[in-house]
Amino acid sequence: MTLKQVLVTGATGRTGFLTLEKLRQHSDEFTALGFARSATKFKELFGSTEGFFEGDIKNISSLEKAIAGCQALVILTSAIPKMKAPPQPGQQPEFEFEAGGMPEEVDYLGQRNQIDAAIAAGVEQIVLVGSMGGTLPDYPLNKIGEGNILIWKRTAEAYLIDSGIDYTIIRAGGLLDKAGGVRELLVSKNDVFLTNPPNGIPTSIPRADVAEVVVQALREPNARNKAFDLISKPEDDPSAIVTKDFAALFAQTSAGL
Ligand code: NAP
């Protein structure tokens, strides 16, 4: 079997780490490479810098070297809001984005750079992990630091779709650091989970499950040219049937934003 060479950006992020680890567990299928800003952080997480490319997604030339020879790209970068200062007792914390780390720069222009570099390198498929809330300008996350983060993420998704490359866009719900593989996963579109959550369940999902869906999207032909919102039923939901058939999950999704 020919190995599929995959570059994971945001490899030192929480979902990026899990995704690269998972891909590397399937070394009979994938050669998995990681792109991140810090070699030190990468080495701390993975134990070595083998298969590591250092760079910044705002600098397209650093991406070009990493992506050469890859058949697939997994985009797991994101602007990261920082707490302004510890809140006073009884007050809510306030968040902002650092200079150079605004969502327009990272989630739009940085993602465009990744898409452009991938297309120039002849990559066949891009799997992009985004976030729900991009149709809801007043959603609280869009208000953080005047960043409109989810709007910029969705604008980059539209750019990806219009680029013509095969895409899989996974718009995750709130990410949890909990075990994967023990929940039923649910898909939808256009923020319906946020505006009308099924049976009022939390609109969240473990990062490990998102990482698994990324791996499956690289395998399953019917994950190609699909975009969907993704959440999980709670682990203790008595109605849940743990998702194991990913082809069936992708069959419930559709093309276009
Ligand atoms: P995360 O831990 O916040 O990681 C984000 C990664 O992006 C980090 O590794 C960071 O690098 C990298 N990054 C940021 N700016 C960069 C730049 N200019 N160049 C290169 N790398 C850059 O991610 P996560 O919380 O696991 O989320 C994964 C994805 O799911 C994101 O797209 C996020 O928006 C989406 N999502 C998140 C949530 C949530 O609840 N957090 C909910 C739904 C969807 P460093 O390691 O160097 O900082």
Side-chain angles (χ1 to χ4, degrees):
M1 187 183 194
T2 315
L3 296 182
K4 187 180 276 192
Q5 187 163 309
V6 183
L7 180 70
V8 178
T9 64
T12 51
R14 291 159 291 180
T15 312
F17 167 74
L18 294 173
T19 303
L20 187 51
E21 281 264 286
K22 255 182 201 291
L23 287 169
R24 287 182 165 177
Q25 283 160 12
H26 299 286
S27 56
D28 55 331
E29 280 178 86
F30 303 107
T31 300
L33 309 173
F35 181 92
R37 294 187 282 195
S38 162
T40 307
K41 191 171 174 185
F42 191 92
K43 191 167 181 194
E44 272 169 22
L45 287 167
F46 294 96
S48 98
T49 50
E50 202 184 324
F52 167 69
F53 289 86
E54 186 167 349
D56 190 304
I57 55 166
K58 293 189 294 170
N59 171 3
I60 195 163
S61 63
S62 68
L63 285 161
E64 284 164 352
K65 194 170 159 211
I67 214 159
C70 288
Q71 285 81 52
L73 168 68
V74 176
I75 299 179
L76 267 157
T77 48
S78 179
I80 304 169
K82 310 268 184 219
M83 202 188 293
K84 273 186 178 171
Q88 297 299 316
Q91 289 194 332
Q92 292 294 321
E94 281 187 61
F95 292 87
E96 63 185 353
F97 296 96
E98 287 177 346
M102 287 296 287
E104 181 177 359
E105 296 166 283
V106 177
D107 294 299
Y108 179 55
L109 297 174
Q111 293 200 4
R112 268 183 74 144
N113 279 344
Q114 296 179 69
I115 295 161
D116 290 347
I119 291 170
V123 163
E124 293 160 15
Q125 181 188 14
I126 296 179
V127 179
L128 186 160
V129 177
S131 189
M132 300 191 308
T135 69
L136 305 169
D138 293 329
Y139 193 65
L141 282 173
N142 281 319
K143 298 295 178 193
I144 291 176
E146 297 178 24
N148 283 318
I149 183 165
L150 308 176
I151 306 285
W152 285 116
K153 282 180 189 287
R154 197 168 170 99
T155 310
E157 292 167 17
Y159 184 82
L160 172 57
I161 292 171
D162 289 346
S163 77
I165 196 169
D166 279 5
Y167 64 85
T168 306
I169 296 168
I170 301 165
R171 286 185 290 256
L175 296 178
L176 307 170
D177 290 319
K178 298 217 164 147
V182 291
R183 295 170 180 237
E184 180 174 346
L185 307 185
L186 304 175
V187 291
S188 180
K189 217 146 170 137
N190 290 320
D191 293 329
V192 170
F193 286 144
L194 293 176
T195 52
N196 191 14
N199 299 320
I201 62 169
T203 53
S204 55
I205 180 166
R207 285 186 167 86
D209 282 322
V210 174
E212 182 63 24
V213 174
V214 170
V215 174
Q216 296 289 346
L218 292 166
R219 276 192 190 131
E220 289 291 338
N222 72 352
R224 295 217 179 191
N225 299 317
K226 300 286 184 63
F228 52 91
D229 300 352
L230 179 71
I231 64 169
S232 64
K233 285 190 180 174
E235 194 177 338
D236 56 2
D237 189 319
S239 75
I241 300 167
V242 175
T243 298
K244 295 195 188 311
D245 183 346
F246 288 87
L249 186 75
F250 295 131
Q252 298 169 47
T253 64
S254 60
L257 267 189

